[in-house]
């Protein structure tokens, strides 16, 4: 227990026969129970987990009969932890990349009633991602963080792809998990769902473990971004509809729509005028119109973002 709170650890894992053992061997006594969610691994990982279970009675393995995605594996662990009445569910990967020495950083804000969901940030003070994270992953992480900020409304968070998290039992039971994405890309997607359900979220510093010679992350950044982007765009408009139209109308919806319409139209018109200008004269009125559309679109988008940040300030202690 941690300050009279029962703590469960959820570890989604798929084909982690090499790294699941050190992950399980470094679980501190603070953790009351460990759920390893085996997402239908095809390697020797189940055997390795069973060996660990003999040494540590806290470990329980739940196996999916077919591969359902990392998001669904976490949801399975969440629901089991809530059913078993654990107060807080902590999530780490099975790739030994998340240091459980940082666990108090995740538990303290929840115990103190500051937040409902805590996520790691490898770029905050004390993190080592600036020096140790490969540049390709850093660039992809930064791009996805901006996309997730805009889609979710949690503008003050960063490192949105980090899977080291903690959540309260009450928050697990409040969320409609049928709306949540089940595969890779779940991290940003869930932030949108959490915002619609008005969960308070806080970033905390955490260190990353990068092992030389081991490919711990199974994500291919370029393919990942192309897969995630369309979903995040849909979730962005779903959030606007649910939060600022149905729950409580706010004019920022209109500013977002104006900005996302006028800015691309003005940009396309400017490009058309530029191409036409190469072969002949262009109309001054068309130039003024394109400039006006770009300015109005940019200003509308800026106002929308500022309103959005203000509305969600209370959800980011």
């Amino acid at each position: 227990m941690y300050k009279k709170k029962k703590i469960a650890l959820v570890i989604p894992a798929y084909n982690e026969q090499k790294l699941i053992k050190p992950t399980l061997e470094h679980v501190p006594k603070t953790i009351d129970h460990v759920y390893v969610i085996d997402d239908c691994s095809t390697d020797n990982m189940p055997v390795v987990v069973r060996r660990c279970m003999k040494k540590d009675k806290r470990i329980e393995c739940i196996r999916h009969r077919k591969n359902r995605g990392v998001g669904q594996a976490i949801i399975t662990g969440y629901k089991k932890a809530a059913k078993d009445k654990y107060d807080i569910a902590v999530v780490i990967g099975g790739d030994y990349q998340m240091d459980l020495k940082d666990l108090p950083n995740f538990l303290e804000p929840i115990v103190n009633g500051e937040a409902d969901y805590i996520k790691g940030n490898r770029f905050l003070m004390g993190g080592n991602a600036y020096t140790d994270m490969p540049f390709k992953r850093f660039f992809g992480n930064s791009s996805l963080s901006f996309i997730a900020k805009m889609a979710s409304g949690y503008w003050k968070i960063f490192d949105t792809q980090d899977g080291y998290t903690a959540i309260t039992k009450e928050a697990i039971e409040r969320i409609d998990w049928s709306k949540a994405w089940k595969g890779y890309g779940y991290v940003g997607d869930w932030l949108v769902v959490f915002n619609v359900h008005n969960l308070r979220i806080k970033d905390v510093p955490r260190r990353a473990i990068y092992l030389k010679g081991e490919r711990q992350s199974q994500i291919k950044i370029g393919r990942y971004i192309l897969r995630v982007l369309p979903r995040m765009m849909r979730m962005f408009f779903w959030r606007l509809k649910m939060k600022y139209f149905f729950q409580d109308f706010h004019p920022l919806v209109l500013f977002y729509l104006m900005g996302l319409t006028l800015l691309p139209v003005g940009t396309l018109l400017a490009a058309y005028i530029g191409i036409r200008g190469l072969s002949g004269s262009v109309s001054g009125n068309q130039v003024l119109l394109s400039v006006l559309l770009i300015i109005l679109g940019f200003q509308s988008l800026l106002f929308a973002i500022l309103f959005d940040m203000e509305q969600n300030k209370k959800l980011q202690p």
Side-chain angles (χ1 to χ4, degrees):
M1 298 184 74
Y2 185 86
K3 296 186 177 180
K4 299 183 180 181
K5 297 290 185 181
K6 293 176 64 180
I7 313 299
L9 181 65
V10 176
I11 305 178
Y14 175 71
N15 289 351
E16 294 288 0
Q17 64 178 11
K18 291 184 178 180
L19 298 171
I20 193 66
K21 186 174 184 287
T23 299
L24 293 173
E25 287 177 339
H26 287 83
V27 174
K29 294 181 179 179
T30 308
I31 300 296
D32 296 285
H33 199 76
V34 180
Y35 299 101
V36 177
I37 314 300
D38 177 8
D39 198 25
C40 197
S41 296
T42 57
D43 65 357
N44 205 40
M45 191 189 78
V47 176
V48 177
V49 173
R50 284 196 293 270
R51 289 173 184 166
C52 293
M53 290 170 65
K54 292 179 180 179
K55 298 179 181 179
D56 190 340
K57 301 303 180 183
R58 296 175 299 170
I59 301 173
E60 177 181 351
C61 186
I62 301 173
R63 181 174 171 83
H64 287 167
R65 293 185 178 180
K66 64 179 181 178
N67 186 272
R68 302 174 65 186
V70 62
Q72 181 57 59
I74 295 172
I75 293 170
T76 297
Y78 276 170
K79 290 183 176 180
K80 188 67 167 63
K83 182 180 178 181
D84 293 343
K85 301 188 183 306
Y86 287 97
D87 300 298
I88 302 171
V90 177
V91 173
I92 63 171
D95 54 3
Y96 193 50
Q97 200 177 103
M98 300 168 184
D99 195 341
L100 284 167
K101 291 179 182 178
D102 293 326
L103 190 58
N105 292 349
F106 291 79
L107 300 180
E108 276 294 316
I110 291 180
V111 171
N112 294 333
E114 298 173 20
D116 308 298
Y117 181 78
I118 305 297
K119 58 170 289 298
N121 187 333
R122 291 161 288 184
F123 298 91
L124 286 176
M125 186 170 56
N128 60 331
Y130 284 116
T131 56
D132 294 347
M133 181 179 286
F135 176 77
K136 186 177 180 180
R137 287 188 62 193
F138 172 77
F139 178 79
N141 187 300
S142 300
S143 301
L144 287 164
S145 288
F146 177 78
I147 293 169
K149 282 172 179 279
M150 186 166 186
S152 70
Y154 290 113
W155 288 94
K156 293 185 179 181
I157 61 174
F158 191 69
D159 197 10
T160 57
Q161 305 309 298
D162 190 37
Y164 195 164
T165 64
I167 190 171
T168 65
K169 175 178 176 290
E170 293 76 16
I172 292 172
E173 294 173 336
R174 191 195 311 179
I175 297 298
D176 179 3
W177 293 105
S178 66
K179 301 291 185 184
W181 200 354
K182 310 303 188 294
Y184 273 128
Y186 76 92
V187 279
D189 181 273
W190 288 13
L191 290 175
V192 182
V193 176
F194 292 166
N195 187 272
V196 170
H197 286 82
N198 295 305
L199 292 194
R200 296 168 300 159
I201 291 183
K202 186 172 183 177
D203 265 3
V204 296
R206 72 95 166 175
R207 290 160 290 186
I209 302 172
Y210 295 103
L211 299 178
K212 292 183 179 180
E214 291 287 351
R215 187 176 71 87
Q216 291 166 279
S217 175
Q218 299 182 26
I219 297 175
K220 295 182 178 180
I221 295 296
R223 186 184 302 174
Y224 181 77
I225 291 177
L226 290 175
R227 183 180 179 185
V228 166
L229 187 57
R231 170 76 180 189
M232 295 304 291
M233 291 174 64
R234 291 195 298 271
M235 291 300 288
F236 166 72
F237 288 108
W238 177 75
R239 177 176 72 90
L240 295 186
K241 178 183 72 174
M242 297 301 296
K243 186 155 188 171
Y244 299 124
F245 191 79
F246 289 130
Q247 291 183 13
D248 184 17
F249 180 78
H250 195 287
L252 70 83
V253 174
L254 302 178
F255 282 110
Y256 263 130
L257 292 177
M258 287 177 60
L260 293 173
T261 301
L262 298 180
L263 188 57
V265 169
T267 303
L268 288 173
L269 180 58
Y272 169 76
I273 292 170
I275 293 171
R276 247 190 107 175
L278 296 175
S279 57
S281 61
V282 296
S283 168
N285 290 334
Q286 287 182 331
V287 173
L288 289 175
L289 178 60
S290 67
V291 171
L292 180 62
L293 290 175
I294 290 172
I295 292 174
L296 287 176
F298 180 78
Q299 286 183 331
S300 298
L301 194 57
L302 181 60
F303 284 139
I305 291 172
L306 291 174
F307 280 133
D308 206 9
M309 293 176 71
E310 183 64 29
Q311 285 295 111
N312 289 288
K313 187 183 293 184
K314 62 181 182 296
L315 299 181
Q316 299 167 94

